[in-house]
Amino acid sequence: MIAPGPTLETERLILRPTSGEDLDGFAALMGDEEASRFIGGVQARAAAWRSMCTMAGSWVTRGHAMFSVIEKSSGRWVGRLGPWTPEGWPGTEVGWGLLRETWGKGYATEGATAAIDWAFDHLGWTEVIHCIDPDNVPSQKVAERLGARNLGPGKLPAPFEAAPVDIWGQSRDEWRARLRRRA
């Protein structure tokens, strides 16, 4: 069963709401020390299941959440990315977390671009942020490729309040102006 919500397609990816079949992928992502370092840290499979269910629940209660990222060429789950606004969050975020073996392929930028377009067009957001640890240089580079700039330090709600985070972001108008310049 798949949570209610849209399916988006990019050149190489399918973005769809969370499904029960995603558990192995969630567990692999959150069980990898390096891949999970900046997205909450290593979790046991049972905790990854709860995280997965949080995403599915957000689709039901908020009408959006991070999409499961499916690689078109293989059909396999490779991560989660997209709109994320849990209670107490510092803004309307599009975030990403991908399996380490897919890093460097441009999937985060490709998927986040589609998710940002969708958030602006269908959720009515007027800005998008990315909460990025100051040591997470790869995600900073993704944010820069998306046209975001570092807006300064931010604060996440419990239980992540001690985690250092910079808020990267841009307005809907900035996003659209950048896309027009590239067209």
Side-chain angles (χ1 to χ4, degrees), residues 76-155:
R76 88 185 163 118
W77 188 98
V78 296
R80 87 292 186 276
L81 63 74
W84 190 235
T85 59
E87 183 63 28
W89 215 246
T92 48
E93 178 171 27
V94 166
W96 49 84
L98 299 170
L99 294 174
R100 189 167 15 141
E101 59 265 26
T102 67
W103 292 359
K105 294 184 176 187
Y107 287 175
T109 303
E110 183 177 329
T113 297
I116 292 169
D117 280 340
W118 184 80
F120 284 148
D121 293 344
H122 296 279
L123 300 178
W125 289 6
T126 58
E127 68 175 7
V128 66
I129 66 165
H130 318 290
C131 300
I132 303 174
D133 186 293
D135 291 335
N136 189 347
V137 175
S139 278
Q140 292 167 16
K141 291 187 182 304
V142 170
E144 287 172 347
R145 282 192 292 277
L146 294 169
R149 64 190 180 289
N150 190 335
L151 304 174
K155 188 155 180 72

Side-chain angles (χ1 to χ4, degrees), residues 1-137:
M1 181 162 196
I2 296 177
T7 296
L8 310 179
E9 288 197 37
T10 69
E11 182 181 339
R12 301 176 297 161
L13 305 171
I14 296 170
L15 309 178
R16 63 152 172 77
T18 309
S19 169
E21 69 190 39
D22 300 338
L23 178 57
D24 287 341
F26 268 87
L29 176 66
M30 298 313 296
D32 181 319
E33 186 174 353
E34 189 174 350
S36 67
R37 177 178 172 202
F38 298 115
I39 56 173
V42 171
Q43 295 179 356
R45 185 178 176 88
W49 178 83
R50 288 189 290 279
S51 295
M52 182 189 76
C53 288
T54 297
M55 292 292 171
S58 183
W59 277 109
V60 172
T61 61
R62 293 192 181 244
H64 66 272
M66 290 194 187
F67 294 94
S68 282
V69 182
I70 310 302
E71 185 179 54
K72 280 184 177 180
S73 64
S74 67
R76 88 185 163 118
W77 188 98
V78 296
R80 87 292 186 276
L81 63 74
W84 190 235
T85 59
E87 183 63 28
W89 215 246
T92 48
E93 178 171 27
V94 166
W96 49 84
L98 299 170
L99 294 174
R100 189 167 15 141
E101 59 265 26
T102 67
W103 292 359
K105 294 184 176 187
Y107 287 175
T109 303
E110 183 177 329
T113 297
I116 292 169
D117 280 340
W118 184 80
F120 284 148
D121 293 344
H122 296 279
L123 300 178
W125 289 6
T126 58
E127 68 175 7
V128 66
I129 66 165
H130 318 290
C131 300
I132 303 174
D133 186 293
D135 291 335
N136 189 347
V137 175

Side-chain angles (χ1 to χ4, degrees), residues 133-134 154-165:
D133 186 293
K155 188 155 180 72
L156 299 178
F160 306 109
E161 68 273 16
V165 66

